[in-house]
Amino acid sequence: MKKRFPFVTLSVTLAALVVYAVPGLSAWLVYNRTEILRGEWWRLFTAPLVHFSSSHLFWDALVFAGAGTAVEWLGYRRFWLACTVAAFLPGLYYLAFKPHLLVYGGLSGLSTGAVVYLALHRAKRGGWESAAWTAVLVLVAAKIAVEAGLHHAIFARAGAQPFPVLPSAHIAGCLGACAAFIVDLLKKSPA
């Protein structure tokens, strides 16, 4: 099988690293409800590039880069769709239904989506691999549930600026992965 260059994964990961490294860029790109309502709509899409601590960035980038690279190398063509849904959906949801949420950022929704998209495709293959990847899907669901119950992240730690755990962002990643997977099935995409 010919491996594909992980363009989406590396582009998004590099962008998140740059946003974290360049002073002032995070403030311009973070989901900020007040600024979005003033017309800065790009924040709905750029918020996943913003991280509030080095730990937050490390875990999000590690999972996204690993799972996303695997997805792209294996040739699953709708990864861009999973990422797009996971990037836009949380901001739209928070804008419409969570007026108390003023600030949001992080790749965790895209990371969750990458893992779920990979697991769905690999579980479809059958045999022992199906059982292993189904277990991954169960673990993802358990992680979302535990973090929702604890109200804090299992892996990432807050830095100087605390941030809330938003299970809805992770669920959006799952929804994006499911949407892309269904389109793959309907289009009978290779791999």
Side-chain angles (χ1 to χ4, degrees), residues 9-54:
T9 302
L10 294 181
S11 298
V12 171
T13 304
L14 180 61
L17 293 170
V18 168
V19 168
Y20 189 77
V22 175
L25 199 50
S26 289
W28 192 65
L29 299 176
V30 71
Y31 172 97
N32 180 310
R33 182 179 183 80
T34 304
E35 299 306 323
I36 291 168
L37 293 174
R38 288 183 183 154
E40 296 182 4
W41 293 95
W42 67 83
R43 294 170 179 272
L44 292 171
F45 187 71
T46 59
L49 301 175
V50 176
H51 291 83
F52 302 113
S53 72
S54 57

Side-chain angles (χ1 to χ4, degrees), residues 1-123:
M1 176 186 309
K2 182 181 175 191
K3 292 182 179 178
R4 298 179 191 277
F5 183 77
F7 179 77
V8 172
T9 302
L10 294 181
S11 298
V12 171
T13 304
L14 180 61
L17 293 170
V18 168
V19 168
Y20 189 77
V22 175
L25 199 50
S26 289
W28 192 65
L29 299 176
V30 71
Y31 172 97
N32 180 310
R33 182 179 183 80
T34 304
E35 299 306 323
I36 291 168
L37 293 174
R38 288 183 183 154
E40 296 182 4
W41 293 95
W42 67 83
R43 294 170 179 272
L44 292 171
F45 187 71
T46 59
L49 301 175
V50 176
H51 291 83
F52 302 113
S53 72
S54 57
S55 173
H56 187 210
L57 173 63
F58 173 79
W59 287 109
D60 279 357
L62 177 71
V63 173
F64 182 74
T69 296
V71 164
E72 291 190 85
W73 274 355
L74 291 169
Y76 301 129
R77 299 175 186 257
R78 308 296 181 300
F79 185 51
W80 63 269
L81 176 59
C83 290
T84 302
V85 171
F88 265 120
L89 196 57
L92 293 173
Y93 172 75
Y94 302 142
L95 193 61
F97 301 107
K98 299 285 185 183
H100 63 280
L101 182 66
L102 302 179
V103 177
Y104 147 74
L107 277 175
S108 59
L110 278 80
S111 300
T112 302
V115 170
V116 169
Y117 186 62
L118 177 63
L120 288 169
H121 271 289
R122 302 314 284 179

Side-chain angles (χ1 to χ4, degrees), residues 142-156 165 167 170:
K143 178 187 177 290
I144 293 170
V146 167
E147 288 182 340
L150 295 176
H151 303 292
H152 68 78
I154 294 174
F155 297 108
V165 171
H170 304 160

